[in-house]
Amino acid sequence: MTTETPNGTARLPGAEVRTDIPRFLPVAGHHDPAPFYLTADMFGGVPVELAGGSITHLVGRPVADPHRHEVDEIYFLVSPNAGGARIEVLVDGERHELTSPALLRVPAGAEHRFLTLAAEPGSYCFGLLLGGAR
């Protein structure tokens, strides 16, 4: 049996379900608040955060200026078809071009930003922040 709570959570026996997502939160360097699907204050303070979303509409448009995080970040690029999305990631001035599916680790403190080069419908880029601090 599921019990609904007013803050967007639901309790199942032995489990907790969150429905108050995404949360749009400010991130240093980003032009707009980023959609977060997992935050450090959920589930008793999990040590990771997950942000991102569809990149189909972002071709040629950066979502952030170069910025840094106090924790490692892993970019996770996916699309319906292999090769259906490409992004350029600058990490401390070094250019990396990723083609989906791909992962890239940005070390804590490294200046970075990404630009979508191509994205078929259904392409997504997520940032997994390890340590739970933006």
Side-chain angles (χ1 to χ4, degrees), residues 32-115:
D32 296 304
F36 277 80
Y37 294 89
L38 179 64
T39 62
D41 64 333
M42 293 178 178
F43 305 114
V46 295
V48 297
E49 294 191 324
L50 178 66
S54 173
I55 59 171
T56 305
H57 64 290
L58 296 175
V59 174
R61 293 182 19 211
V63 298
D65 295 325
H67 61 283
R68 302 171 191 273
H69 300 290
E70 295 178 11
V71 298
D72 286 1
E73 179 175 18
I74 296 175
Y75 282 126
F76 179 36
L77 179 65
V78 294
S79 60
N81 299 293
R86 288 186 307 113
I87 63 173
E88 174 189 88
V89 185
L90 286 180
V91 180
D92 282 340
E94 186 177 337
R95 182 182 180 276
H96 304 271
E97 188 171 314
L98 305 180
T99 300
S100 62
L103 298 168
L104 178 126
R105 178 182 156 264
V106 177
E111 183 179 80
H112 63 283
R113 67 104 178 119
F114 84 85
L115 176 68

